[in-house]
Amino acid sequence: MSKSTWFIYPVIFLFALAPRLIGLQQFITADEAKWIYRSAQFWQALLVGNCAETMVTFKPAVTTMWTGGIGLWGYNLFHDNLPFLEFLHVIPLWDVNPAMLAAARLPTILLSCGSIVLIYHLSRYFLGEKTSFLAAILLAFDPLFLAHSRFLHHDALVTLFAVPAVLFAMHVDRLEVCPTWSIIFSGIFAGLSFLTKSPIFFLVPFVLWLFMRNATLNTIHTALTRFVLWACISYLTFFILFPATWLRPIGVPFDIITDALQVAQTSTGTLEQANKFDEDDEMDFQVSSRADLGILYYPVHFGFYISPIVFIGLLLFGYSHATLFVGEGLGRGALSLSLKQLRWGATKIFLIFIISFMIFMTFSHKRSARYILPVFPFATLVASVGWMRCGSNRTSLLVVALAAGQILTVMPYTPYYITYTNPLLGGSFTAPKLIKIGWGEGMDLAGAWLNQQPYAMANIVGADYASTLKPYFIGRVANPTSADLDYVISYHKQRQSLPKPILDYQSRILSPLHTVHYMGIDYAYIYSAPPIYPIDSKTIIAFHPDMNYLPIGQEFTVDVIWHELPPADVMFYMQEGDGNLMAESTYHMLSANVTRHMLVVPDTITSKEYILFINDISLGKYRARQVVVPSHFTSTNVQFGDEIRLMGFNPNLTIHDGSITVDLAFQVTPKSWHDYTLFVHVIDDNGNRLTGYDALPNPSTSQWLKGEVIIISQTVPMPKDLADDDYQLRVGWYHAGTGQDLGDGFELLTMPQ
């Protein structure tokens, strides 16, 4: 490097850094909350000297947890400022605040920017200054690499370690440098790769091939010696940075490789099962709205995630080489190619890595586009060669134009770079039909809409990617099939795996309250609860009730989705646990395979659980709830604080010998945040309490459900020596722990003498 070009390094770094710092708090991917928690586990074990417990996962993702822990240390330093070990101990699973998320991501971002600079530096020898600079800018703004290098995850990390490992290994054959140093640095980066993700053990045979590819009988010993040195350096790096190996130097690598083989065959590794963490890895099976790609899975995903400039550059590179064989087209002179370059040029090594790594990953039972992220830097290098050989006369202008084009391509997706799909292949129109879409992006926008709804803090939302919604929603997030939900989010990626009848029902019959739409794709559909419940039956696929409880005295409706046409006679009914039939229903057809059933819940039943049936197929237990004030009650609308409302009362008191009983109807509005004590007092005209009774209701107020009317019968003792006079019944609530009243008491009625 000449002194006049030193500034290129910080320029590349800053170009790479700028788009990665935008909107770091805006959304969280499906796995990042887990990796923040795992980083905390790793660092806790590290700081207390428990080496065995640093084996948090078999991925092994050690570098992910190192970088995550460094980010957490920085966050704690500037926010909580607790003793670091104490801070790590209180980090919850699946629940991360956006500021902590941004801090945990930052080390990966800085490493990614540094790696792009290093790739530029190492590729200059093979490709030249301008071509390498173009490749660096294209990589800095490569949509998929840009997206993942902003996440606390291992796919970008394994990429930024594996690519320099290969490039350093390619430098071993340079005559003007000491091969030992290239071997050492390649080994260090390979060791970091092995610490990050087990499939990158692919580097072992690949680097062996690199060292052996030009070996002869006279030099094969040298090549093997270099490989052994490389392997030793790789293992030494692995050993130093992974404390679990200090106790089991051979056992830990063996377990990681064994688990990787098991995961490739069965999709779930042993330690993952023990930890019960749901990975966002996808299985390559036939689903309703996405084609089964088979062995074309990775080529298709690769095509959809590279930029148009890289896509065209690869085509130009391929075309330029094809013309050398047929002697047509652009010709040898225009492309300045030689047969020597064609045979064993650096670009051929890059292409061999791209093709062989995608083939290698295809054998795995678990597949995801991000698994082949290490091929994308090599693709930008090859594409840059393709472009530069076509514009050899005005290379500087071409570099500027292509860099600007790459930046303009990706900037509209800021900061949701992960939503990019290649417009040359149809972009957002064709991508959902062929590849899985969505890894949590858009859930922050769903949370923003939910926060604007009435009583948002008290609402419960069901979502598959719960950890992607929690940081952005002020209410509670639960499993999408939980009871007592207020809203349900149907996310695009899950919708792509739905059976076609359920997807048709969602699309044609249900109407979402809100749809999160971004860059041509509907990422999240928000519906009123309850959700659609799948069912294990030969005839029924799923059912969808209109409520998650049985409204006493009201109509209850359920839609049933059948595999095919429903039988001629369909019965929908409810039973008590002892088998007594409580109610039957009527129904009509909504579509060829969907029936809607309606029954009136008897007003004589009590608030307990009943079983619903379609013919002899159980739909599960549902609790009956009082949702309206009984007709013989006097209606009121008295609010106690912002939490409890008196809906009505029975004006006919029940008079006993020495006591009276009053029936009260309450409802939470929409939630009681504490357990309050109910009081019913008898007061005189001066407001003096003469007698009364205070009690915690059962269930307690914090357990009351939104919309349910709670009938409480409160008995008040009456003194025998009470003078004949007009007295008032005062009703109210207070917090027993603090003595604080919940609003003002209410004079319910004047008691008869």
Side-chain angles (χ1 to χ4, degrees):
M1 179 186 68
S2 64
K3 293 183 179 180
S4 61
T5 59
W6 67 267
F7 68 92
I8 293 178
Y9 291 85
V11 166
I12 293 173
F13 185 90
L14 293 175
F15 261 89
L17 182 64
R20 285 164 172 78
L21 293 180
I22 301 173
L24 280 179
Q25 299 187 29
Q26 277 194 245
F27 78 100
I28 183 172
T29 63
D31 283 355
E32 284 184 285
K34 170 185 63 183
W35 286 110
I36 288 177
Y37 180 76
R38 283 179 168 175
S39 297
Q41 287 184 306
F42 176 87
W43 277 79
Q44 286 181 73
L46 185 68
L47 293 175
V48 300
N50 190 344
C51 296
E53 292 300 315
T54 61
M55 185 74 168
V56 179
T57 170
F58 281 128
K59 288 196 175 294
V62 174
T63 58
T64 307
M65 294 181 288
W66 272 105
T67 57
I70 293 171
L72 292 176
W73 175 82
Y75 173 83
N76 178 59
L77 184 65
F78 291 100
H79 289 80
D80 297 342
N81 200 24
L82 297 171
F84 190 42
L85 193 59
E86 179 182 338
F87 168 75
L88 294 173
H89 185 70
V90 299
I91 291 178
L93 176 62
W94 301 124
D95 194 3
V96 177
N97 72 67
M100 182 187 294
L101 171 68
R105 287 172 164 178
L106 191 57
T108 299
I109 290 173
L110 297 176
L111 283 173
S112 299
C113 297
S115 176
I116 293 171
V117 174
L118 182 59
I119 290 170
Y120 159 75
H121 176 77
L122 294 174
S123 63
R124 288 165 54 249
Y125 171 78
F126 305 106
L127 307 181
E129 291 277 358
K130 291 182 180 179
T131 303
S132 295
F133 179 77
L134 173 61
I137 299 301
L138 294 182
L139 181 58
F141 289 88
D142 177 83
L144 192 66
F145 184 65
L146 171 56
H148 283 274
S149 61
R150 290 161 37 91
F151 303 149
L152 178 63
H153 210 264
H154 34 268
D155 294 295
L157 286 170
V158 75
T159 300
L160 61 90
F161 294 137
V163 176
V166 172
L167 293 175
F168 271 118
M170 292 171 61
H171 275 259
V172 169
D173 291 334
R174 289 180 59 184
L175 298 178
E176 68 272 24
V177 298
C178 175
T180 303
W181 283 110
S182 295
I183 295 170
I184 290 173
F185 283 119
S186 177
I188 291 172
F189 277 93
L192 292 170
S193 302
F194 301 152
L195 283 167
T196 306
K197 198 169 184 182
S198 55
I200 207 62
F201 278 106
F202 167 84
L203 284 180
V204 174
F206 188 81
V207 171
L208 175 61
W209 169 78
L210 276 179
F211 289 162
M212 297 288 293
R213 72 187 191 281
N214 293 325
T216 64
L217 289 176
N218 295 328
T219 60
I220 191 170
H221 179 268
T222 301
L224 289 175
T225 302
R226 289 174 174 177
F227 176 74
V228 171
L229 175 60
W230 177 88
C232 290
I233 296 296
S234 300
Y235 176 77
L236 185 61
T237 304
F238 188 96
F239 178 84
I240 291 173
L241 294 177
F242 196 177
T245 60
W246 303 350
L247 302 178
R248 300 172 59 230
I250 303 300
V252 168
F254 178 81
D255 289 345
I256 290 171
I257 295 173
T258 301
D259 187 76
L261 295 174
Q262 179 180 343
V263 168
Q265 296 173 5
T266 65
S267 83
T268 307
T270 53
L271 195 58
E272 311 309 322
Q273 291 174 328
N275 287 341
K276 297 182 180 179
F277 285 127
D278 292 329
E279 280 289 347
D280 181 56
D281 307 317
E282 66 181 73
M283 308 292 294
D284 194 30
F285 55 85
Q286 182 70 41
V287 294
S288 61
S289 61
R290 184 171 57 93
D292 182 7
L293 299 176
I295 62 173
L296 296 179
Y297 181 94
Y298 282 120
V300 170
H301 281 73
F302 175 77
F304 269 107
Y305 284 115
I306 59 174
S307 69
I309 288 175
V310 174
F311 186 88
I312 295 172
L314 291 173
L315 294 179
L316 289 173
F317 181 87
Y319 179 65
S320 67
H321 283 70
T323 57
L324 288 176
F325 291 102
V326 298
E328 298 176 353
L330 296 175
R332 299 183 187 182
L335 295 171
S336 302
L337 290 175
S338 67
L339 293 177
K340 182 178 179 181
Q341 289 175 310
L342 176 63
R343 187 174 58 189
W344 280 120
T347 50
K348 311 306 181 298
I349 297 175
F350 302 156
L351 285 172
I352 290 171
F353 182 94
I354 293 170
I355 295 170
S356 59
F357 189 72
M358 284 201 287
I359 293 173
F360 173 75
M361 294 304 297
T362 300
F363 287 107
S364 175
H365 198 54
K366 290 174 64 176
R367 298 178 182 179
S368 179
R370 55 190 171 85
Y371 292 178
I372 59 165
L373 192 60
V375 309
F376 281 76
F378 291 115
T380 61
L381 291 168
V382 175
S384 299
V385 172
W387 277 109
M388 296 300 286
R389 286 174 176 170
C390 291
S392 57
N393 294 329
R394 296 183 178 180
T395 54
S396 297
L397 182 61
L398 181 64
V399 168
V400 173
L402 293 174
Q406 183 84 334
I407 294 171
L408 292 175
T409 296
V410 76
M411 281 299 99
Y413 296 89
T414 307
Y416 304 94
Y417 306 114
I418 197 172
T419 63
Y420 167 85
T421 50
N422 191 349
L424 297 181
L425 298 183
S428 60
F429 178 75
T430 56
K433 300 176 178 63
L434 295 171
I435 65 176
K436 280 236 174 177
I437 299 291
W439 200 29
E441 61 273 24
M443 292 294 274
D444 57 318
L445 303 177
W449 183 86
L450 290 165
N451 289 338
Q452 297 173 1
Q453 305 315 301
Y455 308 118
M457 290 186 65
N459 288 335
I460 306 174
V461 177
D464 281 299
Y465 282 165
S467 66
T468 65
L469 180 63
K470 280 184 178 181
Y472 308 101
F473 175 51
I474 60 177
R476 179 183 156 203
V477 183
N479 186 287
T481 57
S482 299
D484 305 320
L485 299 176
D486 297 292
Y487 300 94
V488 178
I489 296 180
S490 177
Y491 194 64
H492 192 285
K493 191 166 190 176
Q494 280 73 43
R495 288 171 72 93
Q496 287 182 294
S497 297
L498 287 175
K500 190 174 186 303
I502 296 180
L503 185 61
D504 289 343
Y505 175 79
Q506 273 193 339
S507 304
R508 299 174 184 176
I509 296 177
L510 294 185
S511 297
L513 301 173
H514 179 71
T515 301
V516 176
H517 184 85
Y518 189 80
M519 299 304 287
I521 295 177
D522 294 331
Y523 278 89
Y525 300 78
I526 304 176
Y527 297 93
S528 292
I532 299 172
Y533 294 99
I535 189 169
D536 185 14
S537 166
K538 294 181 179 179
T539 56
I540 298 176
I541 298 177
F543 66 96
H544 179 229
D546 66 336
M547 304 177 192
N548 48 28
Y549 56 88
L550 298 173
I552 296 175
Q554 307 295 309
E555 187 176 79
F556 178 82
T557 300
V558 63
D559 294 344
V560 179
I561 306 171
W562 304 82
H563 283 282
E564 297 176 350
L565 293 175
D569 296 321
V570 182
M571 287 185 59
F572 173 52
Y573 54 94
M574 57 181 288
Q575 283 187 347
E576 286 188 287
D578 56 10
N580 292 328
L581 181 65
M582 301 302 300
E584 296 186 50
S585 68
T586 60
Y587 79 95
H588 63 271
M589 303 290 295
L590 290 182
S591 66
N593 66 327
V594 179
T595 54
R596 174 163 291 176
H597 304 259
M598 295 150 288
L599 63 77
V600 176
V601 180
D603 57 6
T604 56
I605 66 174
T606 58
S607 295
K608 64 178 183 179
E609 287 187 337
Y610 299 86
I611 305 173
L612 298 180
F613 287 91
I614 289 286
N615 291 344
D616 58 346
I617 301 171
S618 172
L619 303 185
K621 294 181 179 180
Y622 282 73
R623 178 171 290 278
R625 296 183 192 170
Q626 186 76 43
V627 293
V628 295
V629 177
S631 58
H632 61 282
F633 274 39
T634 297
S635 295
T636 61
N637 187 19
V638 180
Q639 188 71 40
F640 296 98
D642 295 326
E643 301 178 46
I644 299 176
R645 178 181 295 136
L646 177 63
M647 305 292 292
F649 64 94
N650 186 351
N652 300 314
L653 302 180
T654 302
I655 301 176
H656 310 280
D657 184 17
S659 65
I660 60 169
T661 298
V662 58
D663 298 326
L664 306 167
F666 292 101
Q667 193 176 62
V668 288
T669 56
K671 180 175 176 59
S672 174
W673 301 102
H674 304 283
D675 291 332
Y676 293 102
T677 298
L678 171 67
F679 69 82
V680 179
H681 293 168
V682 177
I683 61 174
D684 60 20
D685 290 339
N686 296 321
N688 298 316
R689 179 184 183 276
L690 304 178
T691 184
Y693 189 77
D694 300 9
L696 282 168
N698 184 23
S700 59
T701 56
S702 65
Q703 302 302 311
W704 292 3
L705 301 173
K706 184 166 60 176
E708 183 173 9
V709 174
I710 305 295
I711 307 297
I712 298 178
S713 296
Q714 190 84 319
T715 299
V716 179
M718 299 296 293
K720 293 183 179 181
D721 57 352
L722 195 64
D724 289 340
D725 202 349
D726 291 335
Y727 299 104
Q728 300 289 324
L729 271 185
R730 174 179 286 177
V731 177
W733 296 87
Y734 65 91
H735 191 285
T738 64
Q740 183 71 36
D741 288 335
L742 184 64
D744 298 324
F746 174 68
E747 277 70 39
L748 190 68
L749 52 76
T750 300
M751 294 174 54
Q753 295 183 5

